[in-house]
Amino acid sequence: MRDVCIAGIGQVAVGEHWDRSLRDLAVDAILAALADAQVERPQMLLVGNMLSGQLSAQENLGALVADHAGLRGIEAFKVEAACASGAAALRLAYLAVAGGLCDVALACGVEKMTEGRPDGVTAALAAAADATYEAEHGLTFVALNALLMQRYMHAYGYRREDFEFFALNAHANAVHNPCAMYRSEITSAQFAAARLVSAPISLLDSAGIGDGAAAVVVMPADLARSGGARRPVRIRASASATDAVALHDRRDPLVLEAVQLSATRAYAQAQVGPRDLDLLELHDAFTIMSALSLEACGLAPRGQGVGLAKDRAIALNGAHPISTMGGLKARGHPVGATGLYQVVEACLQLRGEAGRNQIDGCRLAMTQNIGGSGANVVTHILERI
């Protein structure tokens, strides 16, 4: 296996892009990543996306995006792993380059969600749950996470207000991210008064949908160093794992086993532990997922993930910074693109280009992208070189 680097990054601002199509967003991110890497033509394109068929009536996304990016003729595929599609695209690009199947691969994540009716988008997202045993009975992802949060609060004695700093921290960090959708701080009073969506989850416990795209260029480390890449970032580990799709089929709903497995495999590959990380871009689609992910990644004992937030340990100047550019919660969650936004943001930190959100001395970052309610998880550990 060859050492692999991210040689270029690109992203578009998350938002409601009424004047940009799905392919336009993808092409904008791809061209930015290629320019950053000083690469004209990759050999492979992997497009992470979850909902193009349902919301844009468009499949065959690999060929479509390749054509409109001026890359007609290259190998190109759509990659789908629910909300983990973006990171799954990067993992396949990593495997192709590490295994010597190609020298330059491009991973792009793209999603366009805001032009559909809210009920249609909700139904489309529910396709990542168990269609027979969850979605068919009306369980949306908000409802599934509400059940998890109710159980967590019951088991460990927390109140809804105890989760507030996950949201406050994300919004505070998004203020200085020009690509974030929600660039305004929120207060404890606003969190407490937020409208409930599915008790105990409120609007401010939840990440908002959006349109967006992010992309990275992947190549062998020696080629990245000898080429024109300004600040390559090493992929020190790439790992994935799965769990039961339906919550009721899991051994313990309060343990995200796929998160745990994926993180453990990444730590072993990188030969590091959770305390070695300078930041974690976790999948904070809901505040409860932040707490459970911190525990499953080994950064907090079971039942104490909320405690890290209450102690402000997850802030930029804390022991375990998360959501450093706003996370899903405040950057926005264009689902198929989210995993690559996380990677782009981690690269900005490792390259020293995160502006006012920069973590001093940042050397090692982990990104973790979750599909479904914890069924498909992809983890990457990135290193400054």
Side-chain angles (χ1 to χ4, degrees), residues 81-82 84 128-130 134 141 148 239-263 265 289 292 296 369-378:
D130 189 307
E134 292 179 328
F141 269 105
L148 283 173
S240 64
T242 57
D243 197 357
V245 173
L247 287 182
H248 68 263
D249 280 335
R250 298 186 189 167
R251 280 183 280 266
D252 185 337
L254 294 186
V255 176
L256 297 178
E257 289 193 14
V259 168
Q260 194 173 63
L261 281 169
S262 181
R265 290 167 183 168
M289 293 306 288
L292 292 174
N369 197 194
I370 297 178
S373 54
N376 206 337
V377 181
V378 184

Side-chain angles (χ1 to χ4, degrees), residues 335-360:
V335 291
T338 287
L340 281 164
Y341 274 104
Q342 293 176 313
V343 170
V344 167
E345 291 161 359
C347 286
L348 289 173
Q349 289 282 2
L350 294 166
R351 286 163 44 155
E353 298 171 356
R356 293 177 65 177
N357 289 10
Q358 183 64 52
I359 295 172
D360 291 338

